[in-house]
Short mmCIF file of all heavy atoms in Angstrom, two decimals:
data_model
loop_
_atom_site.label_atom_id
_atom_site.label_comp_id
_atom_site.label_asym_id
_atom_site.label_seq_id
_atom_site.Cartn_x
_atom_site.Cartn_y
_atom_site.Cartn_z
N ASN A 375 57.27 45.46 12.40
CA ASN A 375 58.45 44.86 12.38
C ASN A 375 59.26 45.18 11.26
O ASN A 375 60.04 44.33 10.63
CB ASN A 375 58.18 43.22 12.36
CG ASN A 375 59.56 42.43 12.78
OD1 ASN A 375 60.31 42.94 13.42
ND2 ASN A 375 59.61 41.21 12.24
N ARG A 376 59.38 46.44 10.88
CA ARG A 376 60.16 46.91 9.87
C ARG A 376 61.41 47.68 10.35
O ARG A 376 62.24 48.23 9.58
CB ARG A 376 59.38 48.00 8.94
CG ARG A 376 58.12 47.41 8.23
CD ARG A 376 58.51 46.21 7.33
NE ARG A 376 59.50 46.68 6.28
CZ ARG A 376 59.06 47.00 5.04
NH1 ARG A 376 57.70 47.00 4.67
NH2 ARG A 376 59.92 47.41 4.21
N VAL A 377 61.60 47.61 11.66
CA VAL A 377 62.92 48.13 12.34
C VAL A 377 63.59 47.06 12.95
O VAL A 377 63.21 46.18 13.63
CB VAL A 377 62.50 49.23 13.33
CG1 VAL A 377 63.65 49.79 13.96
CG2 VAL A 377 61.65 50.36 12.60
N LEU A 378 64.99 47.08 12.69
CA LEU A 378 65.83 46.10 13.17
C LEU A 378 66.73 46.64 14.39
O LEU A 378 67.52 47.56 14.27
CB LEU A 378 66.83 45.66 12.01
CG LEU A 378 67.78 44.55 12.32
CD1 LEU A 378 67.01 43.19 12.58
CD2 LEU A 378 68.77 44.45 11.12
N PHE A 379 66.35 46.23 15.58
CA PHE A 379 67.13 46.60 16.76
C PHE A 379 68.38 45.90 16.95
O PHE A 379 68.43 44.72 16.66
CB PHE A 379 66.09 46.42 18.00
CG PHE A 379 65.07 47.54 17.92
CD1 PHE A 379 63.75 47.20 17.35
CD2 PHE A 379 65.19 48.83 18.49
CE1 PHE A 379 62.81 48.19 17.42
CE2 PHE A 379 64.19 49.74 18.54
CZ PHE A 379 62.97 49.44 17.97
N GLY A 380 69.27 46.51 17.72
CA GLY A 380 70.53 45.80 18.07
C GLY A 380 70.19 44.92 19.35
O GLY A 380 69.07 44.83 19.81
N THR A 381 71.31 44.39 19.97
CA THR A 381 71.12 43.50 21.05
C THR A 381 70.60 44.43 22.32
O THR A 381 70.09 43.81 23.13
CB THR A 381 72.39 42.83 21.40
OG1 THR A 381 73.40 43.82 21.54
CG2 THR A 381 72.75 41.83 20.29
N ASP A 382 71.07 45.69 22.40
CA ASP A 382 70.59 46.52 23.47
C ASP A 382 70.37 47.98 22.93
O ASP A 382 70.52 48.18 21.73
CB ASP A 382 71.46 46.42 24.57
CG ASP A 382 72.99 46.82 24.34
OD1 ASP A 382 73.13 47.68 23.50
OD2 ASP A 382 73.86 46.22 24.82
N GLU A 383 70.25 48.87 23.90
CA GLU A 383 69.90 50.24 23.41
C GLU A 383 71.25 51.01 23.04
O GLU A 383 70.93 52.12 22.54
CB GLU A 383 69.21 50.95 24.61
CG GLU A 383 70.09 51.30 25.80
CD GLU A 383 70.36 50.15 26.73
OE1 GLU A 383 69.79 49.04 26.42
OE2 GLU A 383 71.08 50.30 27.74
N THR A 384 72.25 50.50 23.09
CA THR A 384 73.49 51.21 22.74
C THR A 384 73.78 51.29 21.22
O THR A 384 74.66 51.93 20.75
CB THR A 384 74.68 50.60 23.40
OG1 THR A 384 74.85 49.17 22.99
CG2 THR A 384 74.61 50.57 24.95
N THR A 385 72.99 50.52 20.42
CA THR A 385 73.22 50.35 19.02
C THR A 385 72.00 51.17 18.23
O THR A 385 70.83 51.02 18.70
CB THR A 385 73.18 49.00 18.53
OG1 THR A 385 74.17 48.23 19.28
CG2 THR A 385 73.44 48.92 17.08
N ILE A 386 72.23 51.92 17.19
CA ILE A 386 71.29 52.66 16.51
C ILE A 386 70.51 51.72 15.73
O ILE A 386 71.10 50.71 15.04
CB ILE A 386 72.00 53.59 15.51
CG1 ILE A 386 72.70 54.74 16.31
CG2 ILE A 386 70.88 54.33 14.68
CD1 ILE A 386 73.45 55.65 15.45
N PRO A 387 69.29 51.67 15.78
CA PRO A 387 68.40 50.64 15.03
C PRO A 387 68.58 50.86 13.49
O PRO A 387 69.05 51.99 13.02
CB PRO A 387 66.93 51.01 15.49
CG PRO A 387 67.11 51.65 16.70
CD PRO A 387 68.47 52.48 16.62
N LEU A 388 68.27 50.05 12.73
CA LEU A 388 68.39 50.06 11.27
C LEU A 388 66.87 49.85 10.69
O LEU A 388 65.97 49.23 11.40
CB LEU A 388 69.28 49.12 10.64
CG LEU A 388 70.77 49.16 11.14
CD1 LEU A 388 71.53 48.01 10.74
CD2 LEU A 388 71.46 50.42 10.76
N LYS A 389 66.66 50.21 9.46
CA LYS A 389 65.42 49.88 8.84
C LYS A 389 65.67 48.59 7.98
O LYS A 389 66.77 48.35 7.45
CB LYS A 389 64.80 51.06 8.01
CG LYS A 389 65.65 51.40 6.83
CD LYS A 389 65.01 52.48 5.98
CE LYS A 389 65.91 52.91 4.79
NZ LYS A 389 65.31 53.94 3.96
N LYS A 390 64.58 47.77 7.86
CA LYS A 390 64.77 46.56 7.07
C LYS A 390 64.43 47.00 5.57
O LYS A 390 63.23 47.23 5.25
CB LYS A 390 63.62 45.46 7.49
CG LYS A 390 64.01 44.91 8.91
CD LYS A 390 62.98 43.81 9.21
CE LYS A 390 63.23 43.05 10.68
NZ LYS A 390 62.27 42.09 10.85
N SER A 391 65.47 46.75 4.76
CA SER A 391 65.23 46.92 3.30
C SER A 391 65.16 45.53 2.73
O SER A 391 66.13 44.81 2.58
CB SER A 391 66.44 47.67 2.73
OG SER A 391 66.38 49.03 3.21
N TYR A 392 63.99 45.28 2.17
CA TYR A 392 63.74 43.86 1.68
C TYR A 392 64.21 43.91 0.18
O TYR A 392 64.20 44.87 -0.54
CB TYR A 392 62.30 43.48 1.75
CG TYR A 392 61.85 43.11 3.03
CD1 TYR A 392 61.38 43.94 4.05
CD2 TYR A 392 61.90 41.77 3.54
CE1 TYR A 392 61.12 43.69 5.37
CE2 TYR A 392 61.69 41.30 4.85
CZ TYR A 392 61.26 42.30 5.72
OH TYR A 392 60.87 42.04 6.92
N LEU A 393 64.60 42.56 -0.23
CA LEU A 393 65.10 42.37 -1.64
C LEU A 393 64.05 42.93 -2.60
O LEU A 393 64.47 43.58 -3.55
CB LEU A 393 65.33 40.91 -1.78
CG LEU A 393 65.91 40.53 -3.10
CD1 LEU A 393 67.33 40.97 -3.21
CD2 LEU A 393 66.00 38.90 -3.27
N TYR A 394 62.73 42.69 -2.45
CA TYR A 394 61.84 42.99 -3.44
C TYR A 394 61.79 44.53 -3.60
O TYR A 394 61.28 45.07 -4.49
CB TYR A 394 60.41 42.39 -3.15
CG TYR A 394 59.68 43.01 -1.96
CD1 TYR A 394 58.96 44.03 -2.14
CD2 TYR A 394 59.61 42.45 -0.78
CE1 TYR A 394 58.26 44.64 -1.06
CE2 TYR A 394 58.99 42.95 0.34
CZ TYR A 394 58.30 44.11 0.13
OH TYR A 394 57.58 44.64 1.19
N GLU A 395 62.12 45.22 -2.56
CA GLU A 395 61.99 46.67 -2.55
C GLU A 395 63.28 47.31 -3.23
O GLU A 395 63.07 48.35 -3.99
CB GLU A 395 62.00 47.33 -1.14
CG GLU A 395 60.74 46.99 -0.37
CD GLU A 395 60.76 47.36 1.06
OE1 GLU A 395 61.75 47.19 1.70
OE2 GLU A 395 59.72 47.86 1.55
N VAL A 396 64.48 46.79 -3.12
CA VAL A 396 65.65 47.40 -3.76
C VAL A 396 65.89 46.75 -5.07
O VAL A 396 66.56 47.29 -5.83
CB VAL A 396 66.72 47.19 -2.85
CG1 VAL A 396 66.70 47.86 -1.44
CG2 VAL A 396 67.09 45.64 -2.56
N ASP A 397 65.37 45.58 -5.34
CA ASP A 397 65.46 44.93 -6.69
C ASP A 397 64.28 45.08 -7.61
O ASP A 397 64.13 44.30 -8.46
CB ASP A 397 65.97 43.47 -6.43
CG ASP A 397 67.33 43.31 -6.05
OD1 ASP A 397 67.99 44.25 -5.96
OD2 ASP A 397 67.72 42.26 -5.55
N SER A 398 63.38 46.02 -7.34
CA SER A 398 62.33 46.10 -8.22
C SER A 398 61.92 47.65 -8.18
O SER A 398 62.42 48.49 -7.48
CB SER A 398 61.11 45.34 -7.57
OG SER A 398 60.65 45.82 -6.41
N ILE A 399 61.10 47.99 -9.24
CA ILE A 399 60.95 49.40 -9.35
C ILE A 399 59.38 49.60 -9.73
O ILE A 399 58.69 48.68 -10.22
CB ILE A 399 61.66 50.11 -10.60
CG1 ILE A 399 61.44 49.25 -11.99
CG2 ILE A 399 63.12 50.15 -10.34
CD1 ILE A 399 62.07 49.78 -13.13
N VAL A 400 58.80 50.68 -9.31
CA VAL A 400 57.48 51.01 -9.53
C VAL A 400 57.25 51.17 -11.02
O VAL A 400 58.10 51.75 -11.78
CB VAL A 400 57.09 52.26 -8.80
CG1 VAL A 400 55.56 52.72 -9.11
CG2 VAL A 400 57.12 52.03 -7.31
N LYS A 401 56.12 50.62 -11.45
CA LYS A 401 55.86 50.54 -12.97
C LYS A 401 55.60 52.16 -13.48
O LYS A 401 54.88 52.83 -12.68
CB LYS A 401 54.70 49.69 -13.32
CG LYS A 401 54.39 49.44 -14.79
CD LYS A 401 53.36 48.37 -14.86
CE LYS A 401 53.08 48.07 -16.40
NZ LYS A 401 54.19 47.31 -16.99
N THR A 402 56.09 52.49 -14.57
CA THR A 402 55.86 53.71 -15.17
C THR A 402 54.46 53.81 -15.73
O THR A 402 53.86 52.76 -16.18
CB THR A 402 56.76 53.96 -16.32
OG1 THR A 402 56.43 55.23 -16.89
CG2 THR A 402 56.82 52.96 -17.33
N PRO A 403 53.71 55.02 -15.66
CA PRO A 403 52.34 55.22 -16.07
C PRO A 403 52.39 55.43 -17.67
O PRO A 403 51.38 55.87 -18.18
CB PRO A 403 51.81 56.25 -15.38
CG PRO A 403 53.10 57.12 -15.12
CD PRO A 403 54.22 56.17 -14.95
N VAL A 404 53.61 55.26 -18.48
CA VAL A 404 53.70 55.43 -19.74
C VAL A 404 54.06 54.17 -20.49
O VAL A 404 55.11 53.60 -20.01
CB VAL A 404 54.60 56.66 -20.12
CG1 VAL A 404 54.65 56.90 -21.63
CG2 VAL A 404 54.11 57.90 -19.42
N ILE A 405 53.28 53.85 -21.44
CA ILE A 405 53.61 52.56 -22.25
C ILE A 405 53.96 52.98 -23.70
O ILE A 405 53.07 53.77 -24.20
CB ILE A 405 52.64 51.57 -22.26
CG1 ILE A 405 52.33 51.04 -20.74
CG2 ILE A 405 52.81 50.34 -23.06
CD1 ILE A 405 51.21 50.22 -20.65
N TYR A 406 54.99 52.47 -24.24
CA TYR A 406 55.31 52.70 -25.73
C TYR A 406 55.20 51.32 -26.37
O TYR A 406 56.10 50.56 -26.16
CB TYR A 406 56.66 53.36 -25.91
CG TYR A 406 56.87 54.74 -25.29
CD1 TYR A 406 57.38 54.84 -23.93
CD2 TYR A 406 56.37 55.77 -25.96
CE1 TYR A 406 57.54 56.14 -23.37
CE2 TYR A 406 56.59 57.03 -25.40
CZ TYR A 406 57.18 57.20 -24.03
OH TYR A 406 57.22 58.46 -23.70
N LYS A 407 54.18 51.15 -27.17
CA LYS A 407 53.99 49.89 -27.81
C LYS A 407 53.34 50.13 -29.13
O LYS A 407 52.05 50.58 -29.07
CB LYS A 407 53.09 48.87 -27.00
CG LYS A 407 53.05 47.41 -27.66
CD LYS A 407 54.47 46.81 -27.60
CE LYS A 407 54.44 45.45 -28.36
NZ LYS A 407 53.80 44.36 -27.51
N ASP A 408 53.88 49.90 -30.21
CA ASP A 408 53.35 50.31 -31.64
C ASP A 408 51.99 49.47 -31.80
O ASP A 408 51.94 48.28 -31.59
CB ASP A 408 54.33 49.87 -32.60
CG ASP A 408 54.02 50.44 -34.05
OD1 ASP A 408 52.71 50.59 -34.31
OD2 ASP A 408 54.91 50.68 -34.77
N GLY A 409 50.99 50.14 -32.10
CA GLY A 409 49.64 49.59 -32.19
C GLY A 409 49.58 48.64 -33.48
O GLY A 409 48.68 47.60 -33.47
N ARG A 410 50.52 48.60 -34.34
CA ARG A 410 50.58 47.74 -35.47
C ARG A 410 50.92 46.32 -35.06
O ARG A 410 50.63 45.32 -35.74
CB ARG A 410 51.48 48.27 -36.53
CG ARG A 410 51.07 49.62 -37.26
CD ARG A 410 52.10 50.09 -38.15
NE ARG A 410 53.31 50.57 -37.43
CZ ARG A 410 54.40 51.22 -37.96
NH1 ARG A 410 54.35 51.36 -39.21
NH2 ARG A 410 55.37 51.52 -37.21
N ALA A 411 51.64 46.22 -33.84
CA ALA A 411 51.93 44.88 -33.45
C ALA A 411 50.71 43.95 -33.23
O ALA A 411 50.84 42.80 -33.49
CB ALA A 411 52.86 44.93 -32.22
N ALA A 412 49.74 44.60 -32.63
CA ALA A 412 48.41 43.83 -32.32
C ALA A 412 47.81 43.45 -33.62
O ALA A 412 47.23 42.21 -33.78
CB ALA A 412 47.63 44.68 -31.45
N SER A 413 47.89 44.26 -34.63
CA SER A 413 47.24 43.99 -35.86
C SER A 413 48.03 42.80 -36.57
O SER A 413 47.46 42.00 -37.20
CB SER A 413 47.15 45.18 -36.84
OG SER A 413 46.36 46.11 -36.26
N ARG A 414 49.29 42.77 -36.40
CA ARG A 414 50.16 41.72 -36.91
C ARG A 414 49.74 40.42 -36.34
O ARG A 414 49.84 39.35 -36.96
CB ARG A 414 51.65 42.06 -36.89
CG ARG A 414 52.13 43.04 -37.77
CD ARG A 414 53.64 43.07 -37.91
NE ARG A 414 54.23 43.60 -36.61
CZ ARG A 414 54.51 44.85 -36.36
NH1 ARG A 414 54.18 45.76 -37.23
NH2 ARG A 414 55.02 45.17 -35.17
N VAL A 415 49.49 40.39 -35.04
CA VAL A 415 49.06 39.10 -34.31
C VAL A 415 47.73 38.57 -34.94
O VAL A 415 47.59 37.41 -35.30
CB VAL A 415 48.72 39.33 -32.84
CG1 VAL A 415 48.12 38.19 -32.14
CG2 VAL A 415 50.04 39.64 -32.16
N ILE A 416 46.73 39.41 -35.24
CA ILE A 416 45.49 38.99 -35.97
C ILE A 416 45.95 38.39 -37.36
O ILE A 416 45.38 37.33 -37.80
CB ILE A 416 44.58 40.14 -36.16
CG1 ILE A 416 44.04 40.56 -34.75
CG2 ILE A 416 43.40 39.85 -36.99
CD1 ILE A 416 43.09 39.69 -34.10
N LEU A 417 46.77 39.15 -38.01
CA LEU A 417 47.26 38.74 -39.30
C LEU A 417 47.87 37.37 -39.34
O LEU A 417 47.74 36.45 -40.22
CB LEU A 417 48.15 39.76 -39.96
CG LEU A 417 48.46 39.60 -41.48
CD1 LEU A 417 47.21 39.74 -42.32
CD2 LEU A 417 49.48 40.63 -41.86
N ASP A 418 48.73 37.13 -38.24
CA ASP A 418 49.42 35.89 -38.06
C ASP A 418 48.48 34.70 -37.77
O ASP A 418 48.69 33.63 -38.25
CB ASP A 418 50.39 36.06 -36.90
CG ASP A 418 51.24 34.78 -36.76
OD1 ASP A 418 51.72 34.16 -37.73
OD2 ASP A 418 51.49 34.42 -35.48
N LEU A 419 47.43 34.93 -37.04
CA LEU A 419 46.51 33.99 -36.58
C LEU A 419 45.47 33.67 -37.74
O LEU A 419 45.18 32.48 -37.85
CB LEU A 419 45.74 34.38 -35.21
CG LEU A 419 46.55 34.49 -33.97
CD1 LEU A 419 45.61 35.05 -32.92
CD2 LEU A 419 46.93 33.03 -33.59
N PHE A 420 44.97 34.67 -38.31
CA PHE A 420 43.88 34.44 -39.43
C PHE A 420 44.45 34.40 -40.85
O PHE A 420 43.72 34.06 -41.72
CB PHE A 420 42.88 35.51 -39.16
CG PHE A 420 42.10 35.36 -38.00
CD1 PHE A 420 42.34 35.96 -36.70
CD2 PHE A 420 40.84 34.64 -38.08
CE1 PHE A 420 41.65 35.91 -35.64
CE2 PHE A 420 40.05 34.50 -36.85
CZ PHE A 420 40.54 35.16 -35.76
#
Side-chain angles (χ1 to χ4, degrees):
N375 193 24
R376 299 298 301 261
V377 175
L378 183 64
F379 287 93
T381 54
D382 58 32
E383 71 280 359
T384 61
T385 304
I386 299 173
L388 301 171
K389 67 179 179 181
K390 291 184 177 181
S391 289
Y392 284 90
L393 183 67
Y394 73 84
E395 294 174 319
V396 298
D397 283 352
S398 61
I399 54 175
V400 176
K401 193 174 180 69
T402 174
V404 180
I405 297 174
Y406 298 96
K407 187 67 182 289
D408 194 327
R410 292 172 294 184
S413 296
R414 284 195 291 270
V415 170
I416 293 291
L417 192 62
D418 181 45
L419 289 174
F420 289 88

